[in-house]
């Protein structure tokens, strides 16, 4: 854990950080708004003092109220790890700019996130389903997608409606099993 | 009768009637990239490989656009082994989640346990006893050797040599039996627990380990000699599928594939976990970045792993192997990313807790998934046979890719 | 009814015996009436009859040869792979390949829709014909050559090259892209390697002045130093590599590279049509090994001539009534003779076990004695044994290579043929021709 990194990040991004920089064990975490995402990613990638040039992981999170996209980066300068949480994606129509312009290797991880959450990454050349079949209609990792075990708790009360027809917008009407605003 | 006949679409001899119901409908491209892939130029055709094909590792399907023998473009199709492990883990409690991640990468499943366990331990602020840490390092390194020796056989098998796979299974079988004596399972060990390991080292494991260690180095060297000095093998892999360091970093490559491109990135050294900082080992790298380098880096890693095991056995402390923890774990709300350096790269788990006994979100990052993206770029312009050589050298395991 | 009470074997006998009796009587009658005419016809058309007989015999021996080679491959590679291999059927699994043959006979012979049916059906026949027809000219021994005609070597290359037409037919007609790739690979590979293969033996043709295989073998008479492998080493290397490629063996088995194109030209085949491809492959291995040993390893010539002039004359006629007596008594006496020590050796060996053991020992020893006598006294047997020893050493080499080597890539394979083997074989021809011009034969 590196206090200097926290100071540097706070200094670099200032107002753009939604919450203060958090550090726990060897992880540093910043939370930014959707509009700043591309900019912040470019800065942490290119800034000679930061140089987070390795994308370790990219994933989506559905908190029940909004969607997040989480980037885990590793610095080639100091070996620090950085977590960037891009918050505030609309659950009905989640859209975010793709990170493939910095890391071409993010392409499949974005495809996976699209497949599982329905988050559309603008600028990804190949955004289609990767695991699920092409004619699949729902997004399994969203919190309104019930597993067979949970079907009895679902709005349809025991009817196994695991795959629902319709758009993400229709799904918001459904009850959620869990919500975690702080996720 | 006519309904039985389904000639392939791109055959020039077949004139497809527009309203015919007994031909496969032409796939409508959904993206820019897919449209580009589906456009055939003069002399090109699609060859579909998998999900049942003698060479693909597991159930991978690859559509190859070829011009004669030359690969023009390539599109892997995943999902034949997709089990939705992330969703299952969100509906299981923290202990059960470890069971679900176990079968992800069945070749080296201890690493698939180690990553979520590391993440959960960070979430719960658990201190793992030192003996448990040493045991984890020991078993992980053994599993790494098991995985790399199997890779060696696979690599030769994909190049058409049938004997090395059975020779390399000597080592893997012995290690697997050893771990079975320790954990009770040959494939899905389910050995790591939050806060330690499930059971201390036992006599059978130690005696098997001792016997194996006394001959391991010589045995592995003889296996290496079977392949490394083979002219055909070297000629087929040298200079094939060259991945330079810059591209590798941009593509998110980790593990031996990255080190074969000359980037000495190894989590065991760069982001130390467990007792790795106290152990002495080298991070082998190579500059060529071709299939041969990826193979040789893994072979060098086997030797380093034996070195680590040697030190671990000498320095293993006494003590408990499990921290005192309540039965039902309810960590405070928070987020943690656990990562370990596996035989294929970084195995990561991003776990979010919302205060309940189940993870709110559990993301599993598997290196094979990232590396499989490279098969296309690395094989373009080579021959069909090279696709197999490149794929084998990247060493993807479909269980991990498909989650 | 009596019929209902008979066992299946009894029923078979009841049907077969009358047929055999009537057939035998009819044949005897026919021979008695037209015997002279038949013998005269055979005598007048000796070449045709000889050709027909040779073809039938060649066809008949090609199948057991394939069985033997398949078993060898299974067992030897298993031992190299630290496996056991076949061990259930027959002693050490020796009948396994026969069961394989029966299996492919009984499996469904499926013709996929949208294949080109006549070509698809004909392809295995062409491949198998081409491979066993080349057996006709193999000089197993000077006295055991089916067709020892003058252009034997040329005939071998011509007919052997036909096989690739069958592979092309299979690849094209199968309506499968793997098959197509396999067929085209086969064509490219066979055509490329046909050239160094043929050119490499030109040096030997210059030296011997003939294309007849028996004469080439006869030219290597003497010690092993007279073998062409020592007089034409470069040609031998080129020839060996080229026949490996011709027989589609590892490391040149690109036509059916299972990791790349599943099973190549044979992907869509099943049942006996696949069996024909399978057998043809192994018959091919035997044939190319036989050709190599005939052309380069002295064929049926022993490596060293030991002129013993042994005189083991067995004049069976002179024994008179003693012959049936000895023939009847010898097994009994021999069995007892060898059973006695077994019986006395241990109390745990029962009487019948000792008798069986004695019979086996006696049988083995007498067979060996007859074999040694035949080897020493009958030149064709000695020649055949030398020829088979050399041939199967080469077959073992091919199996060994399959167990050891990975596969060469198709472009490396083609490049090797055109860039290295072809110039080397031309060089060999020029060197040989120059040497012959300067020094004479």
């Amino acid at each position: 854990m590196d206090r200097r990194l926290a100071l540097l990040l706070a200094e670099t991004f200032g107002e753009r950080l939604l919450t203060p920089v958090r550090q726990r064990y060897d992880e540093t975490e910043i939370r930014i708004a959707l509009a700043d995402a591309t900019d912040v990613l470019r800065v942490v990638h290119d800034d000679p003092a930061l140089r987070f040039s390795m994308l370790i992981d990219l994933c989506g999170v559905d908190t029940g109220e909004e969607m997040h996209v989480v980037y885990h980066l590793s610095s080639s300068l100091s070996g620090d790890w950085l977590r960037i949480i891009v918050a505030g994606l609309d659950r009905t129509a989640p859209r975010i700019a793709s990170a493939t312009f910095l890391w071409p290797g993010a392409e499949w991880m974005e495809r996976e996130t699209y497949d599982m959450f329905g988050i559309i990454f603008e600028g990804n050349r190949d955004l289609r389903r990767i695991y699920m079949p092409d004619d699949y209609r729902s997004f399994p990792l969203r919190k309104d997608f019930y597993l067979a075990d949970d079907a009895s708790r679902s709005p349809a009360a025991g009817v196994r409606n695991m795959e629902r027809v319709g758009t993400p917008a229709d799904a918001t009407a459904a009850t959620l099993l869990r919500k975690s605003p702080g996720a | 009768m006519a309904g039985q006949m389904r000639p392939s679409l791109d055959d020039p001899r077949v004139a497809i009637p527009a309203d015919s119901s007994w031909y496969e409908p032409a796939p409508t491209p959904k993206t820019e990239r897919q449209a580009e892939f589906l456009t055939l130029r003069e002399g090109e055709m699609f060859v579909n490989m998998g999900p049942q094909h003698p060479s693909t590792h597991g159930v991978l399907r690859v559509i190859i656009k070829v011009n004669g023998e030359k690969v023009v473009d390539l599109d892997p199709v995943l999902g034949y082994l997709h089990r939705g492990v992330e969703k299952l883990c969100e509906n299981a409690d923290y202990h059960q989640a470890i069971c679900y991640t176990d079968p992800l990468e069945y070749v080296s499943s201890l690493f698939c346990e180690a990553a979520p366990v590391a993440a959960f331990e960070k979430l719960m602020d658990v201190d793992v006893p030192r003996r448990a840490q040493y045991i984890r390092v020991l078993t992980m390194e053994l599993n790494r050797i098991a995985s790399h020796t199997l890779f060696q056989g696979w690599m030769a098998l994909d190049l058409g040599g049938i004997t090395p796979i059975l020779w390399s299974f000597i080592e893997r079988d012995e290690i697997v039996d050893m771990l079975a004596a320790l954990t009770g399972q040959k494939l899905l060990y389910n050995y790591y627990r939050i806060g330690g390991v499930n059971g201390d080292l036992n006599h059978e494991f130690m005696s098997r380990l001792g016997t194996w260690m006394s001959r391991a180095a010589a045995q592995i060297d003889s296996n290496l000699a079977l392949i490394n000095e083979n002219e055909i093998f070297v000629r087929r892999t040298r200079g094939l599928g060259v991945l330079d360091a810059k591209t590798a970093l941009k593509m998110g490559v980790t593990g031996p594939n990255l080190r074969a491109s000359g980037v000495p990135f190894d989590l065991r050294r760069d982001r130390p976990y467990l007792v790795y900082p106290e152990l002495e080992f080298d991070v082998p790298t190579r500059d060529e970045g071709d299939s041969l380098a990826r193979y040789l880096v893994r072979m060098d890693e086997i030797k380093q792993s034996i070195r680590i095991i040697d030190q671990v056995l000498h320095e293993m402390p006494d003590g408990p192997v499990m921290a005192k923890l309540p039965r039902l774990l309810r960590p405070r709300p928070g987020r943690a990313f656990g990562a370990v350096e596996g035989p294929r790269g970084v195995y990561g788990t991003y776990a979010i807790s919302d205060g309940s006994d189940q993870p709110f979100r559990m993301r599993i990052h598997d290196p094979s998934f990232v590396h499989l993206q490279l098969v296309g770029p690395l094989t373009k312009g080579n021959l069909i046979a090279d696709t197999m050589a490149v794929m084998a050298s990247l060493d993807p395991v479909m269980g991990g890719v498909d989650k | 009814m009596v019929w209902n009470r008979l066992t299946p074997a009894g029923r078979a006998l009841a049907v077969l015996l009358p047929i055999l009796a009537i057939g035998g009587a009819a044949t005897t009658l026919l021979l008695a009436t037209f015997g002279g005419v038949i013998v005269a016809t055979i005598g007048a058309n000796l070449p045709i009859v000889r050709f027909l007989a040779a073809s039938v015999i060649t066809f008949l021996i090609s199948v057991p040869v394939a069985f033997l080679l398949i078993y060898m491959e299974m067992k030897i590679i298993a031992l190299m792979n630290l496996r056991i291999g076949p061990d259930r059927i027959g002693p050490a699994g020796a009948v396994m390949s026969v069961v394989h043959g029966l299996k492919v006979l009984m499996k469904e012979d499926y013709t996929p829709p949208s294949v080109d049916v006549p070509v698809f059906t004909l392809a295995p026949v062409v491949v198998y014909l081409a491979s066993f027809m080349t057996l006709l000219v193999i000089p197993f021994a000077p006295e055991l050559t089916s067709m020892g005609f003058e252009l034997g070597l040329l005939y071998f290359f011509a007919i052997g090259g036909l096989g690739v037409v069958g592979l092309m037919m299979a690849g094209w007609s199968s309506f499968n892209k793997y098959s197509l790739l396999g067929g085209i690979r086969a064509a490219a590979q066979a055509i490329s390697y046909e050239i160094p293969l043929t050119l490499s033996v030109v040096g030997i043709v210059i030296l011997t002045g003939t294309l007849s295989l028996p004469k080439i073998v006869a030219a290597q008479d003497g010690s092993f130093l007279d073998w062409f492998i020592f007089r034409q080493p470069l040609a031998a290397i080129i020839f060996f590599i080229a026949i490996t490629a011709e027989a589609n063996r590892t490391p040149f088995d690109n036509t059916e590279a299972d990791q790349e194109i599943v099973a190549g030209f044979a992907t869509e085949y099943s049942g006996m049509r696949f069996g024909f491809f399978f057998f043809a492959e192994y018959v091919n291995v035997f044939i190319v090994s036989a050709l190599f040993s005939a052309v380069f390893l002295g064929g049926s010539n022993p490596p060293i001539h030991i002129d013993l002039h042994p005189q083991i004359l067995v004049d069976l006629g002179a024994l008179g009534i003693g012959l049936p007596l000895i023939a009847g008594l010898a097994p009994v006496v021999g069995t007892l003779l060898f059973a006695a020590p077994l019986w006395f050796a241990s109390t745990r060996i029962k009487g019948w076990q000792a008798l069986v053991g004695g019979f086996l020992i006696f049988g083995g020893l007498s067979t060996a004695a007859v074999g040694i006598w035949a080897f020493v006294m009958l030149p064709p047997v000695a020649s055949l044994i030398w020829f088979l020893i050399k041939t199967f050493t080469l077959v073992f080499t091919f199996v060994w290579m399959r167990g050891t080597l990975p596969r060469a890539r198709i472009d490396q394979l083609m490049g090797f043929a055109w860039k290295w083997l072809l110039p080397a074989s031309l060089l060999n021809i020029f060197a040989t021709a120059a040497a012959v011009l300067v020094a004479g034969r």
Side-chain angles (χ1 to χ4, degrees):
Chain A
M1 189 159 70
D2 193 353
R3 283 310 301 172
R4 272 181 309 153
L5 177 65
L7 293 174
L8 194 61
L9 286 169
E11 188 186 313
T12 315
F13 297 119
E15 291 296 303
R16 284 192 280 186
L17 299 181
L18 298 183
T19 54
V21 180
R22 282 188 201 167
Q23 288 191 312
R24 192 151 177 266
Y25 291 98
D26 50 358
E27 296 159 20
T28 310
E29 176 186 306
I30 57 174
R31 184 181 287 250
I32 54 171
L34 177 60
D36 299 330
T38 312
D39 235 18
V40 170
L41 284 178
R42 188 178 280 132
V43 169
V44 294
H45 181 269
D46 291 341
D47 192 320
L50 296 169
R51 280 254 175 260
F52 284 95
S53 59
M54 276 182 83
L55 178 69
I56 299 293
D57 187 29
L58 184 157
C59 69
V61 174
D62 178 13
T63 66
E65 294 180 338
E66 57 175 20
M67 295 265 186
H68 295 170
V69 174
V70 182
Y71 301 85
H72 284 92
L73 307 174
S74 170
S75 168
S76 56
L77 206 64
S78 57
D80 283 314
W81 283 46
L82 176 66
R83 170 158 61 237
I84 301 179
I85 298 178
V86 180
L89 277 76
D90 185 8
R91 276 196 88 230
T92 51
R95 296 181 90 82
I96 187 173
S98 166
T100 44
F101 71 100
L102 283 173
W103 297 284
E107 186 179 298
W108 277 22
M109 289 192 262
E110 288 179 355
R111 273 178 74 182
E112 188 195 348
T113 311
Y114 164 73
D115 193 359
M116 294 291 139
F117 292 94
I119 299 175
I120 291 169
F121 290 85
E122 287 158 353
N124 188 322
R125 286 190 69 220
D126 199 14
L127 199 69
R128 59 192 153 113
R129 297 235 176 229
I130 191 164
Y131 288 143
M132 298 316 223
D134 275 346
D135 53 353
Y136 199 74
R137 280 172 295 199
S138 46
F139 300 104
L141 277 180
R142 293 171 72 116
K143 288 291 174 192
D144 46 26
F145 183 95
Y146 300 104
L147 283 191
D149 288 357
D150 304 324
S152 59
R153 284 183 274 162
S154 76
V159 179
R160 298 201 159 183
N161 56 345
M162 286 169 63
E163 189 185 343
R164 64 180 81 247
V165 184
T167 59
D170 299 339
T172 44
T175 358
L176 299 172
L177 282 176
R178 286 164 83 186
K179 268 190 200 178
S180 178
Chain B
M1 176 216 106
Q4 297 292 314
M5 298 172 62
R6 288 187 162 207
S8 70
L9 280 176
D10 49 277
D11 194 290
R13 290 186 298 171
V14 180
I16 301 165
D19 58 339
S20 172
S21 61
W22 38 273
Y23 288 105
E24 298 270 2
T28 36
K30 289 201 166 53
T31 59
E32 191 189 333
R33 152 93 185 115
Q34 204 185 6
E36 177 198 312
F37 180 74
L38 289 176
T39 319
L40 285 176
R41 279 189 295 278
E42 183 66 32
E44 294 176 347
M45 67 170 183
F46 290 120
V47 174
N48 179 59
M49 289 198 175
Q52 289 149 330
H53 185 270
S55 83
T56 47
H57 297 183
V59 280
L60 169 66
R61 177 178 167 213
V62 184
I63 306 171
I64 305 181
K65 185 155 78 173
V66 291
N67 188 346
E69 283 269 345
K70 250 195 179 87
V71 177
V72 179
D73 207 344
L74 187 146
D75 188 27
V77 180
L78 312 181
Y80 289 92
L81 205 56
H82 183 238
R83 289 148 289 182
V85 170
E86 290 180 6
K87 187 77 178 175
L88 290 173
C89 289
E90 285 174 20
N91 289 275
D93 73 29
Y94 284 95
H95 291 303
Q96 289 167 337
I98 303 169
C99 304
Y100 281 128
T101 61
D102 225 1
L104 276 177
E105 193 162 295
Y106 34 77
V107 176
S108 51
S109 52
L110 277 179
F111 294 93
C112 295
E113 295 169 27
V117 165
F120 296 161
E121 278 163 359
K122 274 186 196 169
L123 270 183
M124 296 162 200
D125 296 313
V126 178
D127 281 329
V128 184
R130 276 188 66 75
R131 186 171 169 84
Q133 293 192 21
Y134 270 99
I135 293 175
R136 279 192 192 172
V137 170
L138 172 67
T139 46
M140 271 201 268
E141 292 305 324
L142 279 173
N143 209 340
R144 190 190 311 276
I145 296 173
S147 170
H148 281 344
T149 47
L150 192 62
F151 158 81
Q152 183 193 17
W154 267 344
M155 178 98 186
L157 190 66
D158 275 2
L159 297 179
I162 49 177
T163 301
I165 181 114
L166 288 136
W167 281 63
S168 62
F169 255 103
I170 304 173
E171 303 312 311
R172 181 166 166 91
D173 263 359
E174 184 53 37
I175 293 174
V176 158
D177 283 348
M178 210 186 280
L179 290 173
L182 181 63
T183 65
Q185 257 292 352
K186 289 189 88 156
L187 192 65
L188 311 174
Y189 309 106
N190 195 18
Y191 182 54
Y192 300 157
R193 295 283 184 273
I194 300 163
V197 294
N198 179 26
D200 205 343
L201 302 178
N202 56 28
H203 178 75
E204 190 187 343
F205 173 78
M206 288 311 282
S207 70
R208 271 175 178 273
L209 179 63
T211 322
W212 179 76
M213 281 295 281
S214 62
R215 62 168 179 82
Q219 184 83 42
I220 284 165
D221 275 345
S222 90
N223 279 4
L224 287 179
L226 193 67
I227 302 179
N228 287 12
E229 288 151 27
N230 192 312
E231 185 67 20
I232 297 175
F233 179 84
V234 173
R235 269 179 188 255
R236 277 199 61 181
T237 48
R238 181 178 285 155
L240 172 68
V242 177
L243 178 67
D244 59 291
K246 210 176 153 200
T247 318
L249 284 172
K250 282 202 175 296
M251 292 301 283
V253 177
T254 48
N257 295 341
L258 181 60
R259 293 194 281 275
S261 300
V263 183
F265 177 79
D266 189 329
L267 284 194
R268 291 176 290 177
R269 204 185 55 187
D270 295 343
R271 189 177 185 246
Y273 53 97
L274 301 178
V275 289
Y276 278 114
E278 299 161 29
L279 301 170
E280 206 178 289
F281 61 94
D282 298 332
V283 178
T285 56
R286 283 186 185 256
D287 296 330
E288 298 90 1
D290 54 1
S291 293
L292 186 65
R294 287 192 279 274
Y295 165 80
L296 291 172
V297 160
R298 284 185 169 87
M299 296 307 110
D300 292 342
E301 275 187 19
I302 292 183
K303 288 169 189 158
Q304 295 305 319
S305 291
I306 292 179
R307 209 172 138 196
I308 293 175
I309 292 171
D310 224 7
Q311 296 171 47
V312 167
L313 287 176
H314 277 99
E315 292 164 21
M316 175 91 67
D318 280 335
V321 293
M322 192 71 197
K324 292 250 178 295
L325 281 176
R327 271 291 148 97
L328 194 63
L329 296 171
R330 287 180 189 277
R332 279 177 294 136
R335 293 167 291 279
F337 189 80
V340 291
E341 177 76 28
R344 285 169 190 77
V346 172
Y347 293 68
T349 297
Y350 176 46
I352 301 178
S353 156
D354 62 347
S356 74
D357 58 342
Q358 295 173 336
F360 181 74
R361 164 91 169 99
M362 189 161 146
R363 154 77 182 171
I364 293 155
H365 175 84
D366 192 278
S368 305
F369 180 73
V370 182
H371 296 162
L372 203 59
Q373 290 184 81
L374 289 165
V375 179
L378 291 190
T379 46
K380 264 180 212 173
N382 288 317
L383 302 180
I384 292 178
D386 294 334
T387 318
M388 307 308 144
V390 168
M391 212 186 297
S393 76
L394 291 172
D395 195 18
V397 172
M398 290 315 289
V401 173
D402 278 350
K403 283 207 256 290
Chain C
M1 273 286 284
V2 185
W3 180 257
N4 286 338
R5 279 182 277 149
L6 284 177
T7 57
R11 284 178 202 178
L13 268 183
V15 174
L16 281 179
L17 275 180
I19 292 176
L20 280 177
I22 295 168
T27 316
T28 320
L29 210 66
L30 265 175
L31 280 178
T33 321
F34 300 108
V37 182
I38 293 170
V39 171
T41 316
I42 290 176
N45 297 299
L46 209 55
I48 295 177
V49 174
R50 191 184 154 81
F51 175 73
L52 283 177
S55 307
V56 170
I57 292 170
T58 319
F59 183 72
L60 288 181
I61 63 166
S62 70
V63 175
V65 160
F67 282 151
L68 182 61
L69 259 65
I70 292 170
Y71 173 68
M72 268 179 79
E73 175 140 307
M74 285 193 292
K75 201 70 183 174
I76 294 172
I77 291 189
L79 294 175
M80 286 175 179
N81 284 358
L82 315 168
R83 290 184 285 123
I84 297 168
D87 71 332
R88 293 290 135 150
I89 302 161
V95 198
M96 189 70 210
S97 47
V98 179
V99 177
H100 266 297
L102 291 175
K103 180 196 75 180
V104 291
L105 266 178
M106 285 188 286
K107 277 172 92 167
E108 185 189 356
D109 192 2
Y110 182 65
T111 308
S114 59
V115 303
D116 194 342
V117 178
V119 183
F120 186 77
T121 316
L122 210 56
V125 180
V126 172
V127 172
Y128 196 70
L129 267 180
S131 101
F132 94 84
M133 285 294 276
T134 47
L135 262 180
L136 277 178
V137 289
I138 299 295
F140 289 99
E143 298 84 356
L144 281 174
T145 311
S146 315
M147 306 292 284
F149 44 69
E150 196 55 37
L151 289 175
L153 207 52
L154 197 61
Y155 168 89
F156 185 94
F157 293 136
I159 300 292
L162 267 182
V164 73
V165 177
L167 301 187
M168 269 299 276
M169 284 162 69
W172 179 254
S173 65
S174 285
F175 207 84
N176 180 317
K177 287 165 190 168
Y178 294 127
S179 303
L180 184 65
L181 284 171
I184 290 172
R185 278 184 180 192
Q189 182 174 329
I191 290 168
S192 306
Y193 277 85
E194 201 88 342
I195 297 164
L197 178 71
T198 317
L199 288 181
S200 65
V201 291
V202 170
I204 290 164
V205 174
I206 292 172
L207 286 178
T208 55
T210 178
L211 279 167
S212 156
L213 280 168
K215 287 185 187 162
I216 291 177
V217 172
Q220 305 175 65
D221 198 11
S223 73
F224 64 88
L225 287 175
D226 290 318
W227 294 356
F228 281 124
I229 193 170
F230 297 112
R231 285 151 75 185
Q232 293 269 312
L234 182 60
I237 293 167
I238 297 166
F239 192 82
F240 184 75
I241 294 170
I243 58 176
T244 316
E246 280 288 301
N248 293 333
R249 296 289 296 180
T250 314
F252 302 136
D253 58 341
N254 278 278
T255 52
E256 44 199 314
D258 51 348
Q259 284 85 5
E260 296 152 26
I261 51 173
V262 187
F265 54 83
T267 307
E268 291 290 346
Y269 281 89
S270 58
M272 196 54 212
R273 272 186 280 196
F274 175 74
F276 272 128
F277 282 124
F278 197 62
F279 284 169
E281 188 189 328
Y282 288 95
V283 174
N284 259 334
V285 173
F286 178 77
I287 290 169
V288 294
S289 309
L291 187 68
F292 188 89
S293 61
V295 174
F296 286 101
L297 295 179
S300 48
N301 295 315
I304 301 164
H305 274 291
I306 305 170
D307 230 354
L308 285 175
H309 286 297
Q311 295 293 320
I312 314 172
L313 282 179
V314 183
D315 192 357
L316 293 173
L319 287 167
I321 191 70
L323 177 66
L325 216 62
I326 288 178
L329 276 181
V332 179
V333 176
T335 303
L336 289 175
L337 205 66
F338 288 108
L342 279 178
W343 194 53
F344 286 120
S346 166
T347 48
R348 269 186 296 172
I349 296 177
K350 295 193 185 86
W352 66 269
Q353 286 171 334
L355 281 177
V356 169
F359 182 73
L360 288 179
I361 294 173
F362 172 74
L365 285 178
S366 49
T367 313
V370 171
I372 291 169
W373 175 79
F375 184 76
V376 175
M377 292 306 296
L378 299 178
V381 174
S383 306
L384 182 66
I385 288 175
W386 280 121
F387 186 81
L388 289 182
I389 287 175
K390 290 167 186 173
T391 304
F392 275 93
T393 313
L394 275 164
V395 169
F396 174 78
T397 315
F398 280 120
V399 175
W400 186 12
M401 274 160 55
R402 173 141 192 210
T404 323
L405 295 177
R407 182 181 307 117
R409 210 167 57 201
I410 184 81
D411 62 328
Q412 295 171 340
L413 181 89
M414 306 290 284
F416 190 60
W418 291 101
K419 287 182 199 155
W420 296 99
L421 290 187
L422 185 59
S425 55
L426 288 173
L427 177 75
N428 184 56
I429 293 174
F430 289 134
T432 316
V436 167
L437 267 184
V438 172
R441 285 213 168 101

